Amino acid sequence: MVGMVLDMQHVSRGMTGTTVSSYVTSTRQSHGMRLRGVGQCRRTCCRANSSSSSSSSPRSLKKKGKGQTRQDTARRDGYRDAPSLSDDIDNTASSSQVDDSVRSNAYNTGQNTVGTRVSNTPLSAGMKRVLKPLANLRLAIAELASISALSAVGTVIEQNKPAEFYVQQFPEQGNKVLGFLTYKIIFALQLDHIYSANYFLGLLALLGGSLMACTATTQLPMVKVAQRWRFKASESGYQNLPVARRIQDARLSDVATLLMKKNYQIFIRDGALYAFKGLGGKLAPIGVHASMILTMVGIVLGILSGFSGTAMITEGESTPFSSLLQPSTLVAIPPKGSSSLLKVDDFRISYRPDGSVQQFFTDVSVEDEAGRTLMSKTISVNQPLRFGGITAYQTDWSMSALSISLPGSSKEGNILLPMAPLKGVGGSDGKLYGSFLPLEAAPTADSTPKGISFLAKDLESVVIYDSSGKFVGVRRPTSKKPITVDGVDVVIQNIVASSGMELKSDPGIPLVYAGFGGICITTVLSYLSHSQVWGMQSGSSVVVGGKTNRALVGFQVEMDEELDTNSPSTSRGAGPEEFEVPNYGEQGPLKAVKLPRLEHTCTTCNTSADRCRIRISAWVPQQGSQAIQVQRPFPLAIITPGFLISADQYTSYAERLASWGYAVVAYDSVQQALDPSTDLACVDLLEELILWCKTSKPMGMVCDTDNVMLIGHSRGAKISTLAAVRDERVKSLCLIDPVDVTVYTPLSNDFPSATDALSHDRRNIPVCIIGGGNGGDCAPSESSFDLYYRSARGPAWQTIVEDAGHLQFIDNRSATAMGLVCQAGRSIADSQVEDVTRSIMVAWAESVMER
């Protein structure tokens, strides 16, 4: 390996035990590096590596007894593949005698269950050939995507309109919609009734078939497997379980009692234990599939058997439902209430104080053919009438007639004048209705009819004009006051209104509602964890292991709490253990598990909303293939990226720390090259992120937010320093090629100096600094690592990789735009720089962080 020149410096403070210097010296020996060291520390800066770093494992395990050194084989990391149904069918489970302390009605006693091999008949083989392609996940996703795309088209193109509507809206000539869409294409592709088109119904049927095939070939066998009692009678069966440990001086009945308290179902046979809980989490996916199928059946039933129609019924009139409803297909069966009559008794409008419409109300009644009232109701928008499988919605209204009287004339009683809509006439918009009372019997062909004109925009008032078109006055129907027009006294009696309703009969609606409710319930239930635990008595100890289909971190915490794995009598290996000195140049003994990426919006930052939003990546330790003792909660390490650098570029650092027993969080915030967020706003984000780690799941279950180490690169190191100085939860800093005030972010109230804050730190925060000697313009020497080192008041260690460029510390500098600006060293590879940095970072954390 190409040699490196490292400059080791630290504050001159006496040191007890081993040092970072001795650790890096061993690193130098294995990598061919030249080191220059100065001074001593008064306290331990890191754990030493007393042997060469060529050790094959971070922590080797010695087992006493036969004097034989070996790696622990009691368990190994990783998820075990779910057993197939054919494998499980061959398994048998029989009942057995149990210890008196275990025999209790709280336990379920196993009965004989003899497996039977399924014969592969030609019929079953044919079914498998048919079901297997249908159950393909990619096919189901394609079906859902196609249905969604067609539904979107049906939303954009209005459905079930008359042919004239499409001819007018999508003409063959002139400006075509989207440049190509015409009514001929719409009719040819059935886009005018897409939801009842043959291909849409076929897609629904195909999706239903896929769901049923998946249920039959995958979900039901998984439930059958989950219900069977499977015992593990040898220690080799526990190796591949995600969680496994040995409990010294324990009885299997003790473990059963502990698991019973957590609502596990317990089965014991011949010194072996099997327990499970959360079987509903296995059953719920079947419920989801069944609910989706029920929903689609309801949709198809509504499409094939539905009726729809519109009505505009004048007050006092009635109309048979059968004349208003039109079937969607020829196979549609009329609803039960179609032979009845719908009558509008009254229509009225309520207004707000400012005169705007508040609500429409229609008093309707349903009558039989003999005129007997079967049902009465006042309907309004969102309050429909439901009768005999028919639903009537309030949608519109109009004016049908104007009732007037002519006192003092020869005409007695009220006169009904028909009213016509005038929308668009004379530039009018909205609802405007007019009527006309002729004053001469028969006007000549050349003369203009002479009479009185009436205009109304609502049911509250009528505007009156004389025969010459001159405004005469306004009258309210409720006033009953006469007005004289062209020598004729006129009294406005009433405006006869019509109520517009939309009618539907959809027999599939109950199925759709039931299916949707089932989807909501079963989706929530599917998040229940199905957890399984096995145990066996091995001499005076008990070997216990388990797995779960989700929430692995919570399952590990539960197992630790219940089985008291942190007590002196509990061991994760097969016997007494000794640990060799760790080698921080390699992955630790734990497995780093990355959690799903999350987003959080800061509630305390004083900046724009988008800049208060952060994307969070988190890693937590999981029991790996090495048998070690892990103490929870884990210290929390937060990585703040450099300016315009993604948090993904520090994945190797996060995984290395997590493998050594740290809960790690890296995050991205919204930044702009020419308008960066202020340093103080970034500090607010970082401080609230620590609080988020405490309150969120599962981070709050595994990390100690009062024991935090902040790690930052470039400007991220500056942000970390400013946060550490004012936040007592932060116990140490690791700064990777840090920068302070530069020409890009000059000193101001919003961009303070981190080194100045560090020099006035009263808590003497331990600081580890790793610098690159070839930072260039991206890390000017006058405001980089040396300034931080000189400003540190507490224990400090500085390592300088002399020829390393500013971006050689990240995982892939070519993936960021800053890589075009920041120069790289010519004599050192990126991997070498990262390897040294990760090693020192972990060594520093292990030295100064509380355990």
Side-chain angles (χ1 to χ4, degrees), residues 428-545:
S428 64
D429 56 355
K431 288 186 178 294
L432 179 64
Y433 294 85
S435 188
F436 184 77
L437 175 65
L439 295 180
E440 56 184 4
T444 62
D446 298 332
S447 64
T448 302
K450 181 180 180 183
I452 303 172
S453 300
F454 304 91
L455 295 179
K457 295 187 66 175
D458 51 40
L459 303 179
E460 297 294 308
S461 59
V462 178
V463 182
I464 305 170
Y465 297 86
D466 61 14
S467 57
S468 63
K470 181 179 179 181
F471 172 75
V472 177
V474 179
R475 285 293 183 269
R476 291 181 176 274
T478 56
S479 68
K480 307 301 182 184
K481 293 182 178 180
I483 185 172
T484 302
V485 186
D486 291 337
V488 178
D489 292 334
V490 179
V491 176
I492 305 298
Q493 299 292 343
N494 187 29
I495 298 176
V496 180
S498 296
S499 177
M501 288 172 281
E502 182 177 353
L503 290 85
K504 288 186 177 181
S505 175
D506 189 344
I509 284 182
L511 299 182
V512 172
Y513 284 170
F516 183 74
I519 290 174
C520 294
I521 295 172
T522 53
T523 299
V524 173
L525 291 177
S526 66
Y527 281 94
L528 294 176
S529 299
H530 177 242
S531 302
Q532 296 172 282
V533 178
W534 292 266
M536 60 168 288
Q537 191 78 46
S538 178
S540 63
S541 62
V542 174
V543 179
V544 181

Side-chain angles (χ1 to χ4, degrees), residues 449-725:
K450 181 180 180 183
I452 303 172
S453 300
F454 304 91
L455 295 179
K457 295 187 66 175
D458 51 40
L459 303 179
E460 297 294 308
S461 59
V462 178
V463 182
I464 305 170
Y465 297 86
D466 61 14
S467 57
S468 63
K470 181 179 179 181
F471 172 75
V472 177
V474 179
R475 285 293 183 269
R476 291 181 176 274
T478 56
S479 68
K480 307 301 182 184
K481 293 182 178 180
I483 185 172
T484 302
V485 186
D486 291 337
V488 178
D489 292 334
V490 179
V491 176
I492 305 298
Q493 299 292 343
N494 187 29
I495 298 176
V496 180
S498 296
S499 177
M501 288 172 281
E502 182 177 353
L503 290 85
K504 288 186 177 181
S505 175
D506 189 344
I509 284 182
L511 299 182
V512 172
Y513 284 170
F516 183 74
I519 290 174
C520 294
I521 295 172
T522 53
T523 299
V524 173
L525 291 177
S526 66
Y527 281 94
L528 294 176
S529 299
H530 177 242
S531 302
Q532 296 172 282
V533 178
W534 292 266
M536 60 168 288
Q537 191 78 46
S538 178
S540 63
S541 62
V542 174
V543 179
V544 181
K547 67 178 183 179
T548 184
N549 62 339
R550 53 177 53 87
L552 179 60
V553 174
F555 178 67
Q556 287 179 309
V557 172
E558 180 184 75
M559 291 287 289
D560 283 347
E561 291 176 349
E562 290 304 309
L563 302 179
D564 193 20
T565 58
N566 295 322
S567 66
S569 62
T570 303
S571 168
R572 282 189 168 87
E577 306 169 352
E578 291 181 357
F579 296 106
E580 292 185 355
V581 178
N583 173 17
Y584 300 125
E586 296 181 0
Q587 288 294 106
L590 300 177
K591 180 180 178 181
V593 177
K594 186 176 182 180
L595 302 180
R597 178 167 288 184
L598 300 171
E599 284 193 1
H600 174 67
T601 300
C602 176
T603 59
T604 59
C605 63
N606 297 316
T607 183
S608 58
D610 60 331
R611 297 198 179 193
C612 291
R613 186 169 57 251
I614 55 178
R615 293 185 303 167
I616 303 168
S617 299
W619 293 259
V620 295
Q622 174 186 310
Q623 179 67 42
S625 61
Q626 304 298 319
I628 69 166
Q629 191 77 13
V630 179
Q631 179 73 33
R632 290 192 180 91
F634 301 113
L636 174 64
I638 299 180
I639 301 175
T640 301
F643 184 57
L644 298 181
I645 302 177
S646 170
D648 292 338
Q649 297 297 329
Y650 304 88
T651 299
S652 66
Y653 293 86
E655 291 177 344
R656 177 68 63 83
L657 273 171
S659 72
W660 286 99
Y662 293 82
V664 186
V665 168
Y667 66 100
D668 287 315
S669 60
V670 178
Q671 296 285 349
Q672 297 179 5
L674 301 179
D675 184 24
S677 298
T678 66
D679 290 342
L680 296 183
C682 293
V683 170
D684 289 338
L685 286 175
L686 180 52
E687 290 185 334
E688 182 160 324
L689 179 58
I690 299 175
L691 179 61
W692 176 88
C693 291
K694 181 177 182 179
T695 57
S696 68
K697 291 183 178 179
M699 291 301 295
M701 302 169 62
V702 297
C703 71
D704 183 1
T705 54
D706 291 323
N707 189 22
V708 181
M709 181 170 92
L710 298 184
I711 304 160
H713 172 227
S714 187
R715 188 193 178 205
K718 179 184 181 182
I719 302 302
S720 298
T721 303
L722 291 171
V725 169

Side-chain angles (χ1 to χ4, degrees), residues 311-375:
M312 187 68 73
I313 305 176
T314 303
E315 289 175 323
E317 295 184 357
S318 60
T319 305
F321 280 113
S322 57
S323 65
L324 301 175
L325 294 171
Q326 300 298 322
S328 56
T329 63
L330 296 177
V331 299
I333 301 175
K336 181 175 63 176
S338 59
S339 60
S340 303
L341 286 78
L342 177 63
K343 182 180 180 180
V344 173
D345 299 313
D346 182 53
F347 176 82
R348 58 193 180 276
I349 302 174
S350 64
Y351 297 89
R352 297 186 180 90
D354 60 0
S356 61
V357 175
Q358 183 179 28
Q359 183 62 281
F360 306 110
F361 297 97
T362 303
D363 294 336
V364 296
S365 58
V366 179
E367 299 177 345
D368 60 13
E369 296 177 353
R372 293 187 296 266
T373 300
L374 303 177
M375 180 181 180

Side-chain angles (χ1 to χ4, degrees), residues 240-261:
N240 292 328
L241 294 177
V243 179
R245 67 254 304 119
R246 180 184 294 275
I247 305 176
Q248 300 291 348
D249 300 325
R251 296 180 303 172
L252 197 62
S253 58
D254 299 331
V255 175
T257 302
L258 293 172
L259 293 174
M260 185 182 64
K261 293 179 180 178

